[in-house]
Amino acid sequence: YTALEWATQQTRAYFEAEGAPIDRHLAPSLVRYQAKRYLARLGHDAQEDEGEAYAFQTLPNNGLSLSYRGDLLYVLRILKALEGQLPAPGASRARQAFWHQQLIFDYAAPSAAELRPSLNLLVLWETDAAYTLRRLSLVCPKVGALTRESVAAYWMIEIPHPTVARAQMPLGGRAPEVP
């Protein structure tokens, strides 16, 4: 949340300094650029090294990718929502494979070329017309091709803002048990 809030603020400031209306094509690129800079300042710009479980990379078309290698390989892509919905992957075979939850070969696994289960997740960010960050959602994509009608997800949940989540914490300091 903090990185994307800062990035959308910087994007708004850019257009205000230019005295120009927010350009819906340029603004997502500025958000990606600013979010990447913010994450780099926090030390999240390191590419995957030997024994490193965490990796960060830039994707074309305004995306960022994070991955975590544990028992399961988690790959997380951060993208702008399309009118509050999961965007279609389009003609990109790599994006379509990501949406289809295809297993990948993990050559850095303990035994070379081990097929490690992976889970592909998306964080979708949404803004209002003034480019104020409104919501983040976590999505587990199921399928997608060229059109929005081809897109489906296993599930989609809103990520609560950290200040709201802390405010809702019970007095005992422990989160309630969720089945």
Side-chain angles (χ1 to χ4, degrees):
Y1 258 99
T2 306
L4 286 169
E5 283 175 331
W6 186 80
T8 54
Q9 288 170 2
Q10 294 300 309
T11 298
R12 282 192 315 276
Y14 170 83
F15 288 106
E16 288 169 6
E18 292 289 316
I22 293 173
D23 181 299
R24 66 184 187 96
H25 300 288
L26 176 58
S29 295
L30 290 173
V31 169
R32 176 180 76 164
Y33 171 75
Q34 295 293 353
K36 184 178 174 187
R37 287 183 56 214
Y38 187 91
L39 291 169
R41 281 200 307 265
L42 294 176
H44 296 296
D45 63 344
Q47 295 300 310
E48 197 165 346
D49 293 327
E50 188 66 34
E52 181 98 16
Y54 172 78
F56 175 81
Q57 73 182 82
T58 301
L59 299 172
N61 297 326
N62 306 319
L64 294 172
S65 176
L66 306 168
S67 62
Y68 176 76
R69 179 180 283 113
D71 292 335
L72 189 69
L73 178 61
Y74 294 95
V75 182
L76 182 74
R77 291 189 177 189
I78 304 169
L79 302 172
K80 185 175 188 307
L82 184 59
E83 297 174 4
Q85 299 297 313
L86 175 64
S92 166
R93 288 184 181 175
R95 277 186 123 184
Q96 286 182 12
F98 190 89
W99 263 243
H100 288 249
Q101 296 292 332
Q102 292 181 349
L103 294 177
I104 61 173
F105 282 101
D106 183 2
Y107 291 102
S111 64
E114 172 184 321
L115 187 63
R116 181 181 297 211
S118 61
L119 182 60
N120 300 332
L121 299 172
L122 296 165
V123 171
L124 300 181
W125 56 275
E126 299 175 53
T127 63
D128 60 16
Y131 246 73
T132 300
L133 185 65
R134 287 292 172 221
R135 149 182 330 106
L136 294 180
S137 299
L138 184 64
V139 182
C140 184
K142 182 177 186 178
V143 67
L146 297 174
T147 65
R148 286 184 63 187
E149 293 76 28
S150 69
V151 175
Y154 289 107
W155 47 263
M156 179 176 193
I157 58 171
E158 186 172 339
I159 301 170
H161 192 282
T163 57
V164 173
R166 279 191 284 265
Q168 294 177 348
M169 185 68 76
L171 291 177
R174 291 183 41 186
E177 299 242 353
V178 178

PDB file of all heavy atoms in Angstrom, residues 35-62:
ATOM      1  N   ALA A  35       6.669   3.513  -7.968  1.00  0.00           N
ATOM      2  CA  ALA A  35       6.575   2.382  -7.033  1.00  0.00           C
ATOM      3  C   ALA A  35       7.884   1.602  -7.016  1.00  0.00           C
ATOM      4  O   ALA A  35       8.363   1.182  -5.952  1.00  0.00           O
ATOM      5  CB  ALA A  35       5.409   1.466  -7.409  1.00  0.00           C
ATOM      6  N   LYS A  36       8.468   1.406  -8.188  1.00  0.00           N
ATOM      7  CA  LYS A  36       9.745   0.686  -8.274  1.00  0.00           C
ATOM      8  C   LYS A  36      10.831   1.449  -7.522  1.00  0.00           C
ATOM      9  O   LYS A  36      11.614   0.855  -6.778  1.00  0.00           O
ATOM     10  CB  LYS A  36      10.129   0.499  -9.739  1.00  0.00           C
ATOM     11  CG  LYS A  36      11.385  -0.306  -9.915  1.00  0.00           C
ATOM     12  CD  LYS A  36      11.698  -0.495 -11.391  1.00  0.00           C
ATOM     13  CE  LYS A  36      13.036  -1.177 -11.555  1.00  0.00           C
ATOM     14  NZ  LYS A  36      13.446  -1.241 -12.947  1.00  0.00           N
ATOM     15  N   ARG A  37      10.883   2.776  -7.671  1.00  0.00           N
ATOM     16  CA  ARG A  37      11.862   3.592  -6.941  1.00  0.00           C
ATOM     17  C   ARG A  37      11.653   3.483  -5.437  1.00  0.00           C
ATOM     18  O   ARG A  37      12.609   3.376  -4.665  1.00  0.00           O
ATOM     19  CB  ARG A  37      11.749   5.063  -7.372  1.00  0.00           C
ATOM     20  CG  ARG A  37      12.303   5.335  -8.747  1.00  0.00           C
ATOM     21  CD  ARG A  37      12.249   6.807  -9.098  1.00  0.00           C
ATOM     22  NE  ARG A  37      12.957   7.602  -8.098  1.00  0.00           N
ATOM     23  CZ  ARG A  37      12.588   8.830  -7.737  1.00  0.00           C
ATOM     24  NH1 ARG A  37      11.532   9.404  -8.274  1.00  0.00           N
ATOM     25  NH2 ARG A  37      13.270   9.499  -6.834  1.00  0.00           N
ATOM     26  N   TYR A  38      10.408   3.534  -5.008  1.00  0.00           N
ATOM     27  CA  TYR A  38      10.092   3.446  -3.580  1.00  0.00           C
ATOM     28  C   TYR A  38      10.543   2.094  -3.021  1.00  0.00           C
ATOM     29  O   TYR A  38      11.181   2.023  -1.971  1.00  0.00           O
ATOM     30  CB  TYR A  38       8.596   3.650  -3.378  1.00  0.00           C
ATOM     31  CG  TYR A  38       8.189   3.751  -1.929  1.00  0.00           C
ATOM     32  CD1 TYR A  38       8.144   4.983  -1.293  1.00  0.00           C
ATOM     33  CD2 TYR A  38       7.859   2.619  -1.193  1.00  0.00           C
ATOM     34  CE1 TYR A  38       7.776   5.088   0.042  1.00  0.00           C
ATOM     35  CE2 TYR A  38       7.488   2.712   0.132  1.00  0.00           C
ATOM     36  CZ  TYR A  38       7.455   3.953   0.746  1.00  0.00           C
ATOM     37  OH  TYR A  38       7.097   4.036   2.069  1.00  0.00           O
ATOM     38  N   LEU A  39      10.203   1.022  -3.724  1.00  0.00           N
ATOM     39  CA  LEU A  39      10.594  -0.320  -3.271  1.00  0.00           C
ATOM     40  C   LEU A  39      12.114  -0.472  -3.264  1.00  0.00           C
ATOM     41  O   LEU A  39      12.676  -1.107  -2.363  1.00  0.00           O
ATOM     42  CB  LEU A  39       9.946  -1.394  -4.146  1.00  0.00           C
ATOM     43  CG  LEU A  39       8.430  -1.518  -3.994  1.00  0.00           C
ATOM     44  CD1 LEU A  39       7.860  -2.416  -5.097  1.00  0.00           C
ATOM     45  CD2 LEU A  39       8.057  -2.051  -2.621  1.00  0.00           C
ATOM     46  N   ALA A  40      12.796   0.121  -4.238  1.00  0.00           N
ATOM     47  CA  ALA A  40      14.258   0.058  -4.282  1.00  0.00           C
ATOM     48  C   ALA A  40      14.863   0.755  -3.064  1.00  0.00           C
ATOM     49  O   ALA A  40      15.830   0.259  -2.473  1.00  0.00           O
ATOM     50  CB  ALA A  40      14.778   0.692  -5.569  1.00  0.00           C
ATOM     51  N   ARG A  41      14.282   1.887  -2.670  1.00  0.00           N
ATOM     52  CA  ARG A  41      14.776   2.580  -1.475  1.00  0.00           C
ATOM     53  C   ARG A  41      14.618   1.740  -0.219  1.00  0.00           C
ATOM     54  O   ARG A  41      15.351   1.897   0.746  1.00  0.00           O
ATOM     55  CB  ARG A  41      14.057   3.919  -1.300  1.00  0.00           C
ATOM     56  CG  ARG A  41      14.611   4.994  -2.202  1.00  0.00           C
ATOM     57  CD  ARG A  41      14.249   6.381  -1.711  1.00  0.00           C
ATOM     58  NE  ARG A  41      12.835   6.555  -1.492  1.00  0.00           N
ATOM     59  CZ  ARG A  41      11.989   7.070  -2.378  1.00  0.00           C
ATOM     60  NH1 ARG A  41      12.412   7.438  -3.551  1.00  0.00           N
ATOM     61  NH2 ARG A  41      10.717   7.220  -2.086  1.00  0.00           N
ATOM     62  N   LEU A  42      13.622   0.848  -0.223  1.00  0.00           N
ATOM     63  CA  LEU A  42      13.425  -0.046   0.917  1.00  0.00           C
ATOM     64  C   LEU A  42      14.292  -1.297   0.823  1.00  0.00           C
ATOM     65  O   LEU A  42      14.210  -2.178   1.665  1.00  0.00           O
ATOM     66  CB  LEU A  42      11.950  -0.455   1.020  1.00  0.00           C
ATOM     67  CG  LEU A  42      10.958   0.655   1.340  1.00  0.00           C
ATOM     68  CD1 LEU A  42       9.540   0.118   1.320  1.00  0.00           C
ATOM     69  CD2 LEU A  42      11.266   1.277   2.701  1.00  0.00           C
ATOM     70  N   GLY A  43      15.093  -1.400  -0.248  1.00  0.00           N
ATOM     71  CA  GLY A  43      15.984  -2.544  -0.415  1.00  0.00           C
ATOM     72  C   GLY A  43      15.378  -3.689  -1.193  1.00  0.00           C
ATOM     73  O   GLY A  43      15.904  -4.802  -1.176  1.00  0.00           O
ATOM     74  N   HIS A  44      14.291  -3.454  -1.900  1.00  0.00           N
ATOM     75  CA  HIS A  44      13.616  -4.522  -2.639  1.00  0.00           C
ATOM     76  C   HIS A  44      13.972  -4.564  -4.122  1.00  0.00           C
ATOM     77  O   HIS A  44      13.231  -5.092  -4.919  1.00  0.00           O
ATOM     78  CB  HIS A  44      12.096  -4.392  -2.511  1.00  0.00           C
ATOM     79  CG  HIS A  44      11.603  -4.552  -1.128  1.00  0.00           C
ATOM     80  ND1 HIS A  44      11.728  -5.709  -0.412  1.00  0.00           N
ATOM     81  CD2 HIS A  44      10.980  -3.669  -0.311  1.00  0.00           C
ATOM     82  CE1 HIS A  44      11.200  -5.553   0.787  1.00  0.00           C
ATOM     83  NE2 HIS A  44      10.743  -4.314   0.875  1.00  0.00           N
ATOM     84  N   ASP A  45      15.124  -4.000  -4.495  1.00  0.00           N
ATOM     85  CA  ASP A  45      15.485  -3.996  -5.900  1.00  0.00           C
ATOM     86  C   ASP A  45      16.484  -5.093  -6.254  1.00  0.00           C
ATOM     87  O   ASP A  45      16.885  -5.229  -7.391  1.00  0.00           O
ATOM     88  CB  ASP A  45      16.032  -2.635  -6.321  1.00  0.00           C
ATOM     89  CG  ASP A  45      17.308  -2.274  -5.589  1.00  0.00           C
ATOM     90  OD1 ASP A  45      17.614  -2.909  -4.564  1.00  0.00           O
ATOM     91  OD2 ASP A  45      17.997  -1.358  -6.048  1.00  0.00           O
ATOM     92  N   ALA A  46      16.884  -5.888  -5.284  1.00  0.00           N
ATOM     93  CA  ALA A  46      17.887  -6.928  -5.532  1.00  0.00           C
ATOM     94  C   ALA A  46      17.323  -8.018  -6.430  1.00  0.00           C
ATOM     95  O   ALA A  46      16.234  -8.512  -6.212  1.00  0.00           O
ATOM     96  CB  ALA A  46      18.343  -7.541  -4.212  1.00  0.00           C
ATOM     97  N   GLN A  47      18.101  -8.353  -7.449  1.00  0.00           N
ATOM     98  CA  GLN A  47      17.726  -9.488  -8.277  1.00  0.00           C
ATOM     99  C   GLN A  47      18.094 -10.755  -7.514  1.00  0.00           C
ATOM    100  O   GLN A  47      18.901 -10.738  -6.597  1.00  0.00           O
ATOM    101  CB  GLN A  47      18.452  -9.433  -9.624  1.00  0.00           C
ATOM    102  CG  GLN A  47      18.037  -8.248 -10.460  1.00  0.00           C
ATOM    103  CD  GLN A  47      16.546  -8.247 -10.769  1.00  0.00           C
ATOM    104  OE1 GLN A  47      15.998  -9.228 -11.211  1.00  0.00           O
ATOM    105  NE2 GLN A  47      15.897  -7.120 -10.523  1.00  0.00           N
ATOM    106  N   GLU A  48      17.527 -11.846  -7.919  1.00  0.00           N
ATOM    107  CA  GLU A  48      17.714 -13.101  -7.215  1.00  0.00           C
ATOM    108  C   GLU A  48      19.182 -13.524  -7.265  1.00  0.00           C
ATOM    109  O   GLU A  48      19.793 -13.602  -8.320  1.00  0.00           O
ATOM    110  CB  GLU A  48      16.840 -14.162  -7.867  1.00  0.00           C
ATOM    111  CG  GLU A  48      16.633 -15.359  -7.005  1.00  0.00           C
ATOM    112  CD  GLU A  48      15.492 -16.195  -7.527  1.00  0.00           C
ATOM    113  OE1 GLU A  48      14.726 -15.732  -8.367  1.00  0.00           O
ATOM    114  OE2 GLU A  48      15.403 -17.325  -7.065  1.00  0.00           O
ATOM    115  N   ASP A  49      19.780 -13.750  -6.109  1.00  0.00           N
ATOM    116  CA  ASP A  49      21.149 -14.225  -5.990  1.00  0.00           C
ATOM    117  C   ASP A  49      21.141 -15.662  -5.512  1.00  0.00           C
ATOM    118  O   ASP A  49      20.098 -16.198  -5.143  1.00  0.00           O
ATOM    119  CB  ASP A  49      21.926 -13.381  -4.972  1.00  0.00           C
ATOM    120  CG  ASP A  49      22.133 -11.954  -5.453  1.00  0.00           C
ATOM    121  OD1 ASP A  49      22.270 -11.772  -6.681  1.00  0.00           O
ATOM    122  OD2 ASP A  49      22.136 -11.050  -4.610  1.00  0.00           O
ATOM    123  N   GLU A  50      22.294 -16.270  -5.487  1.00  0.00           N
ATOM    124  CA  GLU A  50      22.423 -17.640  -4.999  1.00  0.00           C
ATOM    125  C   GLU A  50      21.871 -17.733  -3.582  1.00  0.00           C
ATOM    126  O   GLU A  50      22.266 -16.981  -2.701  1.00  0.00           O
ATOM    127  CB  GLU A  50      23.907 -18.051  -5.005  1.00  0.00           C
ATOM    128  CG  GLU A  50      24.138 -19.508  -4.705  1.00  0.00           C
ATOM    129  CD  GLU A  50      23.590 -20.420  -5.787  1.00  0.00           C
ATOM    130  OE1 GLU A  50      23.623 -20.050  -6.963  1.00  0.00           O
ATOM    131  OE2 GLU A  50      23.134 -21.514  -5.419  1.00  0.00           O
ATOM    132  N   GLY A  51      20.918 -18.613  -3.369  1.00  0.00           N
ATOM    133  CA  GLY A  51      20.343 -18.819  -2.049  1.00  0.00           C
ATOM    134  C   GLY A  51      19.295 -17.785  -1.658  1.00  0.00           C
ATOM    135  O   GLY A  51      18.706 -17.884  -0.598  1.00  0.00           O
ATOM    136  N   GLU A  52      19.082 -16.798  -2.486  1.00  0.00           N
ATOM    137  CA  GLU A  52      18.097 -15.755  -2.195  1.00  0.00           C
ATOM    138  C   GLU A  52      16.700 -16.276  -2.502  1.00  0.00           C
ATOM    139  O   GLU A  52      16.453 -16.821  -3.568  1.00  0.00           O
ATOM    140  CB  GLU A  52      18.394 -14.524  -3.058  1.00  0.00           C
ATOM    141  CG  GLU A  52      17.461 -13.375  -2.822  1.00  0.00           C
ATOM    142  CD  GLU A  52      18.038 -12.343  -1.889  1.00  0.00           C
ATOM    143  OE1 GLU A  52      19.246 -12.349  -1.660  1.00  0.00           O
ATOM    144  OE2 GLU A  52      17.253 -11.550  -1.379  1.00  0.00           O
ATOM    145  N   ALA A  53      15.768 -16.085  -1.579  1.00  0.00           N
ATOM    146  CA  ALA A  53      14.413 -16.599  -1.770  1.00  0.00           C
ATOM    147  C   ALA A  53      13.498 -15.578  -2.433  1.00  0.00           C
ATOM    148  O   ALA A  53      12.411 -15.900  -2.857  1.00  0.00           O
ATOM    149  CB  ALA A  53      13.819 -17.020  -0.431  1.00  0.00           C
ATOM    150  N   TYR A  54      13.965 -14.352  -2.553  1.00  0.00           N
ATOM    151  CA  TYR A  54      13.111 -13.255  -2.985  1.00  0.00           C
ATOM    152  C   TYR A  54      13.686 -12.612  -4.246  1.00  0.00           C
ATOM    153  O   TYR A  54      14.881 -12.408  -4.343  1.00  0.00           O
ATOM    154  CB  TYR A  54      13.049 -12.234  -1.845  1.00  0.00           C
ATOM    155  CG  TYR A  54      12.374 -10.947  -2.180  1.00  0.00           C
ATOM    156  CD1 TYR A  54      10.992 -10.867  -2.219  1.00  0.00           C
ATOM    157  CD2 TYR A  54      13.110  -9.806  -2.442  1.00  0.00           C
ATOM    158  CE1 TYR A  54      10.363  -9.677  -2.516  1.00  0.00           C
ATOM    159  CE2 TYR A  54      12.482  -8.615  -2.739  1.00  0.00           C
ATOM    160  CZ  TYR A  54      11.117  -8.558  -2.774  1.00  0.00           C
ATOM    161  OH  TYR A  54      10.495  -7.381  -3.070  1.00  0.00           O
ATOM    162  N   ALA A  55      12.844 -12.297  -5.208  1.00  0.00           N
ATOM    163  CA  ALA A  55      13.301 -11.624  -6.431  1.00  0.00           C
ATOM    164  C   ALA A  55      12.293 -10.555  -6.828  1.00  0.00           C
ATOM    165  O   ALA A  55      11.112 -10.658  -6.531  1.00  0.00           O
ATOM    166  CB  ALA A  55      13.467 -12.626  -7.569  1.00  0.00           C
ATOM    167  N   PHE A  56      12.782  -9.535  -7.531  1.00  0.00           N
ATOM    168  CA  PHE A  56      11.975  -8.394  -7.938  1.00  0.00           C
ATOM    169  C   PHE A  56      12.354  -8.056  -9.371  1.00  0.00           C
ATOM    170  O   PHE A  56      13.528  -8.021  -9.700  1.00  0.00           O
ATOM    171  CB  PHE A  56      12.306  -7.217  -7.009  1.00  0.00           C
ATOM    172  CG  PHE A  56      11.648  -5.923  -7.367  1.00  0.00           C
ATOM    173  CD1 PHE A  56      10.338  -5.688  -7.004  1.00  0.00           C
ATOM    174  CD2 PHE A  56      12.344  -4.939  -8.043  1.00  0.00           C
ATOM    175  CE1 PHE A  56       9.734  -4.483  -7.312  1.00  0.00           C
ATOM    176  CE2 PHE A  56      11.744  -3.732  -8.357  1.00  0.00           C
ATOM    177  CZ  PHE A  56      10.431  -3.510  -7.992  1.00  0.00           C
ATOM    178  N   GLN A  57      11.375  -7.833 -10.238  1.00  0.00           N
ATOM    179  CA  GLN A  57      11.695  -7.439 -11.597  1.00  0.00           C
ATOM    180  C   GLN A  57      10.592  -6.565 -12.180  1.00  0.00           C
ATOM    181  O   GLN A  57       9.464  -6.559 -11.698  1.00  0.00           O
ATOM    182  CB  GLN A  57      11.949  -8.648 -12.493  1.00  0.00           C
ATOM    183  CG  GLN A  57      10.683  -9.418 -12.839  1.00  0.00           C
ATOM    184  CD  GLN A  57      10.977 -10.634 -13.696  1.00  0.00           C
ATOM    185  OE1 GLN A  57      11.343 -11.652 -13.173  1.00  0.00           O
ATOM    186  NE2 GLN A  57      10.819 -10.497 -14.992  1.00  0.00           N
ATOM    187  N   THR A  58      10.953  -5.833 -13.230  1.00  0.00           N
ATOM    188  CA  THR A  58      10.017  -4.977 -13.934  1.00  0.00           C
ATOM    189  C   THR A  58       9.417  -5.756 -15.091  1.00  0.00           C
ATOM    190  O   THR A  58      10.102  -6.500 -15.769  1.00  0.00           O
ATOM    191  CB  THR A  58      10.754  -3.732 -14.477  1.00  0.00           C
ATOM    192  OG1 THR A  58      11.333  -3.040 -13.381  1.00  0.00           O
ATOM    193  CG2 THR A  58       9.800  -2.814 -15.208  1.00  0.00           C
ATOM    194  N   LEU A  59       8.121  -5.603 -15.293  1.00  0.00           N
ATOM    195  CA  LEU A  59       7.430  -6.224 -16.420  1.00  0.00           C
ATOM    196  C   LEU A  59       7.040  -5.148 -17.414  1.00  0.00           C
ATOM    197  O   LEU A  59       6.789  -4.013 -17.023  1.00  0.00           O
ATOM    198  CB  LEU A  59       6.154  -6.929 -15.934  1.00  0.00           C
ATOM    199  CG  LEU A  59       6.326  -8.044 -14.928  1.00  0.00           C
ATOM    200  CD1 LEU A  59       4.965  -8.484 -14.405  1.00  0.00           C
ATOM    201  CD2 LEU A  59       7.049  -9.213 -15.566  1.00  0.00           C
ATOM    202  N   PRO A  60       6.942  -5.487 -18.698  1.00  0.00           N
ATOM    203  CA  PRO A  60       6.461  -4.493 -19.654  1.00  0.00           C
ATOM    204  C   PRO A  60       4.996  -4.152 -19.381  1.00  0.00           C
ATOM    205  O   PRO A  60       4.300  -4.881 -18.682  1.00  0.00           O
ATOM    206  CB  PRO A  60       6.621  -5.195 -21.003  1.00  0.00           C
ATOM    207  CG  PRO A  60       6.733  -6.639 -20.707  1.00  0.00           C
ATOM    208  CD  PRO A  60       7.238  -6.770 -19.295  1.00  0.00           C
ATOM    209  N   ASN A  61       4.549  -3.054 -19.942  1.00  0.00           N
ATOM    210  CA  ASN A  61       3.161  -2.608 -19.821  1.00  0.00           C
ATOM    211  C   ASN A  61       2.747  -2.357 -18.378  1.00  0.00           C
ATOM    212  O   ASN A  61       1.716  -2.823 -17.914  1.00  0.00           O
ATOM    213  CB  ASN A  61       2.196  -3.583 -20.496  1.00  0.00           C
ATOM    214  CG  ASN A  61       2.462  -3.674 -21.978  1.00  0.00           C
ATOM    215  OD1 ASN A  61       2.847  -2.694 -22.601  1.00  0.00           O
ATOM    216  ND2 ASN A  61       2.296  -4.843 -22.532  1.00  0.00           N
ATOM    217  N   ASN A  62       3.576  -1.645 -17.644  1.00  0.00           N
ATOM    218  CA  ASN A  62       3.225  -1.117 -16.327  1.00  0.00           C
ATOM    219  C   ASN A  62       3.117  -2.134 -15.213  1.00  0.00           C
ATOM    220  O   ASN A  62       2.375  -1.926 -14.266  1.00  0.00           O
ATOM    221  CB  ASN A  62       1.923  -0.311 -16.403  1.00  0.00           C
ATOM    222  CG  ASN A  62       2.001   0.754 -17.453  1.00  0.00           C
ATOM    223  OD1 ASN A  62       3.021   1.401 -17.583  1.00  0.00           O
ATOM    224  ND2 ASN A  62       0.952   0.907 -18.204  1.00  0.00           N
TER     225      ASN A  62
END
